[in-house]
């Protein structure tokens, strides 16, 4: 990993050199070249400054979010330009070698760069540039309501047609637009579901991140079966350096109390049973359990008192829990609701046709509904955003699931 980090500046420098060459080949106007150089130097200087100011005692903030977004929006397009220009250089070298071998003395060894190639490289680079820019300005609040119907042969008759609204990964410390968040709360209330479930990550790190948003999230109406939640990996405050164990513990206690303050019942490795006309279903809530993250979830403790034949809905933040513990568990968890992946906040998705994101190479279940031997998991794409301050192609999600007998 350290070796890779040392190579990164070299790659960035090469990309910068190639991009400048593309700009020079695309236009002969000198002031354009100087403006490009000035802007590039200023952007690089700001990114370096922002990262040197990052404080592991406070963690991610608005400045670091912006710096990450700025880095991606400049580096990725330049890498694309460098790839195209490198391809042209390989052709130029091959052409030069051919001329040398054939003894064509009238031709210089390296032909001049073709303006068309440079313009094409800049045009290709504009696609990720504009996409990432849109993601940072509009896409991060482009809330979508996803509706799914899931059939179970052993669903109790009296719960046939039950509706669940799921949200996940609020990451309140990243928000910067109250109007957009209020719009999302309105969308949640419009669903009129029987129960609302939140599957973790209420903050990035600090409980105080949620304080400006408590009144906003208190607007979520209380449905007939209530509002319930679990913790996510970010809720444990394990990604920064704390001044003391007590400070970390106090923050964790405050984060758990946030759920009460916004009207959710936080489930910490426990279950609750709902009864309707003498029939029952169980809601099980575990603390975070991730294959590569904190393993505080205790499925046995959370399911105490339940029988394998009971119909169970499980809330577990990290979908790797389903892959490694839940999907083949003898106690039969019918439906698991997770989040965590955010769909990497970047990908291509045409509903019902095509779905791709780099995160699929890390998580087998990363967005939407998955099934194994009649057991299902739904992975919510996330309500908020983290690290990259935007979303491209994988939009923030409010999920509505209808349970049907069949």
């Amino acid at each position: 990993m350290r070796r890779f980090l040392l190579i990164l500046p070299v790659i960035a420098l090469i990309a910068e050199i190639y991009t400048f060459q593309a700009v020079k080949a695309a236009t002969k106007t000198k002031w354009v070249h100087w403006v490009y150089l000035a802007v590039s130097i200023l952007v690089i200087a700001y990114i370096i400054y922002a990262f040197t100011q990052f404080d592991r005692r406070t963690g991610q903030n608005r400045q670091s979010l912006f710096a990450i977004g700025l880095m991606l929006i400049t580096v990725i397009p330049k890498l694309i330009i460098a790839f195209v220009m490198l391809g042209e250089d390989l052709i130029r070298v091959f052409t030069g070698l051919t001329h040398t071998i054939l003894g064509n003395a009238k031709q210089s060894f390296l032909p001049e760069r073709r303006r068309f190639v440079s313009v094409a490289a800049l045009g290709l680079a504009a696609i990720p540039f504009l996409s990432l820019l849109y993601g940072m300005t509009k896409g991060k609040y482009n809330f979508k309501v996803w509706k799914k119907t899931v059939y179970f042969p052993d669903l109790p008759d009296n719960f046939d047609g039950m509706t669940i609204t799921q949200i996940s990964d609020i990451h309140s410390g990243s928000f910067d637009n109250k109007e957009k968040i209020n719009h999302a709360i309105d969308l949640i209330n419009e669903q009129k579901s029987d129960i609302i479930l939140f599957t973790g990550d209420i903050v990035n790190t600090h409980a105080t991140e949620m304080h400006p948003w408590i009144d906003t999230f208190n607007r979520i109406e209380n449905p007939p079966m209530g509002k319930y939640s679990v913790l996510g990996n970010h809720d444990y405050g394990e990604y920064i350096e704390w001044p003391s164990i007590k400070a970390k513990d106090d923050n964790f206690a405050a984060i758990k109390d946030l759920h009460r303050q916004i009207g959710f019942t936080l489930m910490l490795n426990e279950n609750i049973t709902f009864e309707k006309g003498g029939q029952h279903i169980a809601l099980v809530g575990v603390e975070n359990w991730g294959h590569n993250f904190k393993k505080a979830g205790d499925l046995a403790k959370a399911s105490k008192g339940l029988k394998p034949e009971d119909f169970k809905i499980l809330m577990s933040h990290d979908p790797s829990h389903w892959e490694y513990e839940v999907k083949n568990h003898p106690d039969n968890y019918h439906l698991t609701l997770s989040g965590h992946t955010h769909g990497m906040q970047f990908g291509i998705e045409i509903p019902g046709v095509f779905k791709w994101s780099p995160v699929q190479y890390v998580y087998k279940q990363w967005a939407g509904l998955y099934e194994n031997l009649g057991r299902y998991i739904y992975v919510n794409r996330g309500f908020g955003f983290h690290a990259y301050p935007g979303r491209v192609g994988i939009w923030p999600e409010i999920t509505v699931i209808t349970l049907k007998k069949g």
Side-chain angles (χ1 to χ4, degrees):
M1 182 65 178
R2 186 176 297 176
R3 188 178 299 173
F4 176 72
L5 291 175
L6 291 173
I7 294 173
L8 277 179
V10 177
I11 295 174
L13 178 61
I14 293 171
E16 189 63 52
I17 292 170
Y18 269 123
T19 302
F20 184 58
Q21 289 182 2
V23 172
K24 287 179 65 178
T27 176
K28 302 300 182 183
T29 308
K30 293 291 185 182
W31 69 264
V32 173
H33 304 164
W34 287 110
V35 167
Y36 169 80
L37 283 174
V39 171
S40 290
I41 291 169
L42 287 173
V43 168
I44 292 168
Y46 176 81
I47 292 171
I48 292 172
Y49 169 78
F51 280 110
T52 58
Q53 296 302 301
F54 182 78
D55 189 347
R56 282 193 56 81
R57 295 170 297 179
T58 58
Q60 192 175 88
N61 54 33
R62 297 267 179 86
Q63 185 184 48
S64 61
L65 277 170
F66 179 73
I68 291 171
L70 189 61
M71 181 178 69
L72 291 173
I73 208 170
T74 54
V75 171
I76 291 177
K78 288 178 180 180
L79 287 174
I80 291 173
I81 292 170
F83 181 78
V84 175
M85 301 298 282
L86 177 61
E88 185 190 23
D89 275 352
L90 293 174
I91 294 172
R92 291 168 71 207
V93 169
F94 177 77
T95 303
L97 289 172
T98 302
H99 290 318
T100 301
I101 293 168
L102 295 177
N104 191 346
K106 293 182 180 180
Q107 295 286 340
S108 62
F109 179 75
L110 282 180
E112 286 189 9
R113 290 196 178 278
R114 290 174 293 175
R115 183 175 181 275
F116 168 77
V117 174
S118 296
V119 171
L122 292 168
L124 283 174
I127 297 172
F129 176 82
L130 294 174
S131 297
L132 290 165
L133 182 62
Y134 174 83
M136 292 172 63
T137 54
K138 301 290 185 181
K140 62 186 179 182
Y141 295 126
N142 186 22
F143 291 97
K144 300 296 182 184
V145 177
W146 286 77
K147 296 188 177 185
K148 291 288 181 181
T149 301
V150 188
Y151 293 86
F152 298 95
D154 54 347
L155 178 69
D157 293 337
N158 292 337
F159 290 91
D160 187 15
M162 172 184 167
T163 53
I164 302 165
T165 289
Q166 180 201 6
I167 58 173
S168 192
D169 300 88
I170 289 175
H171 288 287
S172 53
S174 301
F175 294 155
D176 57 10
N177 190 318
K178 187 156 282 191
E179 181 183 350
K180 297 294 185 182
I181 302 303
N182 271 309
H183 169 66
I185 301 302
D186 290 338
L187 287 176
I188 292 170
N189 289 333
E190 286 172 11
Q191 307 314 311
K192 302 296 181 184
S193 292
D194 295 309
I195 192 170
I196 296 176
L197 304 178
F198 165 47
T199 46
D201 277 0
I202 196 169
V203 294
N204 295 334
T205 301
H206 297 277
T208 53
E209 296 167 17
M210 188 65 180
H211 290 175
W213 306 98
I214 287 175
D215 289 342
T216 303
F217 280 85
N218 259 319
R219 292 184 52 244
I220 298 177
E221 297 168 359
N222 199 38
M225 295 172 68
K227 300 184 290 185
Y228 296 86
S229 57
V230 292
L231 296 172
N233 57 301
H234 280 270
D235 297 323
Y236 295 86
E238 296 195 336
Y239 303 120
I240 69 167
E241 296 173 358
W242 293 94
S244 66
I245 296 296
K246 184 180 184 301
K248 181 181 178 182
D249 290 344
D250 288 347
N251 183 69
F252 186 46
I255 284 174
K256 289 188 286 187
D257 192 56
L258 289 173
H259 295 254
R260 177 194 62 80
Q261 293 180 58
I262 62 171
F264 279 74
T265 299
L266 178 62
M267 301 183 73
L268 301 167
N269 293 324
E270 55 192 300
N271 68 79
I272 184 172
T273 299
F274 299 95
E275 186 270 338
K276 188 183 289 187
Q279 296 180 333
H280 303 82
I281 66 168
L283 177 66
V284 182
V286 297
E287 292 193 53
N288 190 79
W289 192 105
H291 182 58
N292 296 311
F293 291 90
K294 188 176 183 68
K295 293 179 173 62
D298 188 332
L299 199 55
K301 179 182 177 183
S303 305
K304 189 175 181 180
L306 299 178
K307 300 186 290 292
E309 61 270 22
D310 291 335
F311 191 93
K312 293 181 282 295
I313 300 169
L314 171 66
M315 287 192 291
S316 182
H317 176 72
D318 191 319
S320 67
H321 191 200
W322 189 77
E323 177 65 25
Y324 286 93
E325 274 202 358
V326 176
K327 73 178 185 180
N328 293 312
H329 199 285
D331 283 351
N332 188 24
Y333 297 87
H334 295 73
L335 174 64
T336 299
L337 301 177
S338 298
H340 180 64
T341 71
H342 302 200
M344 204 175 173
Q345 298 167 208
F346 178 85
I348 302 170
E349 189 163 18
I350 304 172
V353 179
F354 181 76
K355 182 172 67 175
W356 175 87
S357 168
V359 78
Q360 72 188 52
Y361 305 115
V362 180
Y363 289 90
K364 290 185 179 180
Q365 299 82 30
W366 60 275
L369 188 67
Y370 302 83
E371 183 263 345
N372 178 67
L373 300 175
R375 301 176 187 187
Y376 292 85
I377 181 172
Y378 191 91
V379 184
N380 183 284
R381 294 160 180 82
F383 185 94
F385 49 92
H386 182 65
Y388 166 57
R391 284 177 175 266
V392 178
I394 306 294
W395 311 120
E397 174 177 5
I398 297 161
T399 312
V400 180
I401 296 175
T402 302
L403 305 183
K404 293 293 292 181
K405 180 96 171 186

